[in-house]
Amino acid sequence: MPNVPEQPRSGSADEVGATSHGRVRQEPADAGTPAKVSGRDVDGDQAPAAGQAPAAGQAPAKARPTQVASTAAAHALRLLNRARGTEAHPPAPSVPDAPLAVVVGGGISGLVAARELAASGHRVQLHEAGPVFGGCVGLHEVAGLALDAGAESFATRSTAVADLLGELGLGDDIVTPEPGGAWLYLKRGAENVVLPLPATGILGIPGDPWAEEVRRAVGRAGALRAAADLITPVSKKILEGDMSLGALVRSRMGSAVLENLVTPVVSGVHSADPDTLDVDAIAPGLRAAVHKHGSLARAVAAMRAAAPAGSAVASVSGGMNRLAAALVADLQAAGVQLHANSPVAGIAPGAGGTGFRIELAPRAAAASAAKDAKHEKESRHERHERQAHEAGAGAAGAGQRREVLADRLVMATGGETAVDLLRGIDAGFAEHRPAPGAGISLVTLVVDKPELDDAPRGTGLLVAPTVDDVGAKALTHATAKWHWLGDESGPGSHVLRLSYGRLNDVASALVNADDSSLRNAALKDASVLLGIEITAGDILGFDVVRYSGALPFATTGHAKRVALIRELAATHQGLDIVGAWLAGTGLASVIADTRKRLRITVS
């Protein structure tokens, strides 16, 4: 995503899960190790250790910390280290009969959950249906450059991500974007115009409705209507009931601000219409701030002033993919068993109603690279579902399914998968199955175009849904945004990433186009947005990353739905449910929520 000003959320269109036919895969740790029941294989043989060396491109594993004699002692030592500020990675569980925790899902939330459980003294297994760990934080290579395939930044409004990076030894590598700022591509009458995004807003809502850049974006009449917010009384009713972000903005500042500022930002960040998004989920505390300050503009200005100084987003030199690699290496060093290509087929209560019986689909040749190549245009979600189905269908020819008996269970998958599996524990979960999130395709172009050295559109652009001559919803000029990447690519070479998944019906069809069509669309769109013609002859390399359901919608009533799901989960001892579909999209929300929930329950 372009360098969008501080948002009271954690996600961006670039903070998403992805798979790619061209990406460089992180080889799974212990991918072939059978699952264990109470520390042994299902046939009684002792399972091999999980602490093998990390794959190429991953951070080297750290030495194991001091082992402790009991689960309680492990937890106490962890808390002491945290209080001292010396906690670097979780201690390896050393007690053979320590409780077994199983994490289902190997995205960032699952990896963080496994780390917290290992730190509390559990033996931990993590099962990921796909071939790689990291979920929304991945790596691919384009034109010889190692690039982020999914999330490329994190929100800095909290220290959640920075704290974790520090514990993993990456704290000194945190970087902020270049100061170019983001631009907007808007429809103005019969023409489309390019304008700088006002720098004083939250989710496009201006903190100063009469600022020059706001007037340029919404027109004099639109700015006058927005400024009326400053003198319009605020009723206590603004705090009552469910409310969408669109409804709040429209009622306080009018349609011009909503359509020209808020909608391009929200559609670019969340692939959703502001009228469908729950304002309390997407902008926590905003309604209360409006009531307190008597104005939406003053509320936004106050929240901006209270935010940490510096950039609204940050990343890691070398890319956010280093976070996933460091987590995997850290878990290996802690003795966590990491199983890739290991879909869970079913979950049921354990014997006597305690613990959990987790049924694993058998590993089979059906998930071979040849078959995956045949389906290279699938999204991550679609591929995982197919692999799970094929594994189940091939059970008769590949041996019986395996079972793991666990004391603790953490569901760290997407909402649909989590609910489908949890119905085996409690049929009540079925009514909480979420709707699928948006489908998005990311097209990365590496081009030889010295004319882009001056970054004519800053760090990138957000596109209004009403624009009809561009199919992309956002463009990130990655080499202009991140100094380290500009240094690696060299003068004249540039990395452009365009995101497809627009709200209007015509442009949304591009998500499912073939690679060649998406490449051509990206060339056309980049030329229009940047004001410089970019042709096929300028391309040094390109890649397409596809996924579906990666940005779950926090529609109105989201907080209530999350509360009901977690209340139901709390009735099953040892069960936790984490992930973006509950916490909200983006690394900051996911990491903070996962650590908070696991630290509460392990205590």
Side-chain angles (χ1 to χ4, degrees), residues 375-459:
H375 298 273
E376 66 179 14
K377 304 306 178 191
E378 292 176 317
S379 70
R380 180 185 185 88
H381 175 74
E382 292 167 339
R383 175 167 292 186
H384 289 186
E385 283 197 342
R386 175 179 59 79
Q387 288 174 336
H389 174 75
E390 289 172 346
Q400 296 183 348
R401 295 185 178 185
R402 302 157 296 147
E403 285 187 344
V404 178
L405 303 179
D407 303 286
R408 292 286 305 276
L409 172 65
V410 177
M411 294 300 302
T413 66
E416 297 167 84
T417 301
V419 167
D420 290 346
L421 289 172
L422 289 173
R423 285 187 299 184
I425 299 172
D426 189 327
F429 281 107
E431 65 183 87
H432 299 293
R433 194 176 196 269
I440 296 176
S441 292
L442 296 177
V443 182
T444 298
L445 302 174
V446 179
V447 298
D448 180 16
K449 205 68 179 175
E451 295 93 325
L452 294 176
D453 287 351
D454 293 332
R457 297 291 183 260
T459 59

Side-chain angles (χ1 to χ4, degrees), residues 4 7 184 186 197-198 201-206 217-218 244-250 253-270 272-275 277 282 286 296 300 462-465 503:
V4 180
Q7 314 296 345
L184 295 170
L186 308 173
L197 177 68
I202 287 178
L203 287 171
I205 307 169
V218 305
S244 72
L245 178 66
L248 175 62
V249 174
R250 187 183 291 107
M253 291 190 172
S255 297
V257 166
L258 177 63
E259 293 171 4
N260 292 291
L261 294 178
V262 177
T263 298
V265 173
V266 171
S267 64
V269 170
H270 295 282
D273 188 327
D275 282 321
L277 295 179
I282 221 70
L286 182 58
L296 177 56
V300 166
L462 296 163
V463 181
L503 296 181

Side-chain angles (χ1 to χ4, degrees), residues 9-151:
R9 50 85 195 167
S10 57
S12 75
D14 289 344
E15 292 194 3
V16 288
T19 56
S20 168
H21 67 278
R23 68 187 284 184
V24 178
R25 295 182 174 179
Q26 298 174 6
E27 292 301 324
D30 194 30
T33 303
K36 297 188 285 184
V37 177
S38 299
R40 293 183 177 273
D41 298 340
V42 290
D43 59 1
D45 295 332
Q46 187 68 33
Q52 65 185 66
Q58 292 184 347
K62 300 177 183 177
R64 288 193 181 187
T66 304
Q67 296 186 353
V68 294
S70 69
T71 301
H75 187 49
L77 180 60
R78 168 177 166 270
L79 294 176
L80 177 61
N81 287 338
R82 181 172 299 143
R84 291 172 172 170
T86 58
E87 181 186 36
H89 54 80
S94 59
V95 183
D97 59 350
L100 175 64
V102 169
V103 179
V104 181
I108 292 298
S109 186
L111 296 175
V112 171
R115 189 172 187 269
E116 292 295 319
L117 289 164
S120 67
H122 287 79
R123 293 177 297 127
V124 183
Q125 291 184 14
L126 184 149
H127 294 272
E128 161 60 37
V132 295
F133 303 109
C136 72
V137 182
L139 172 72
H140 66 160
E141 184 176 314
V142 187
L145 294 172
L147 304 172
D148 286 320

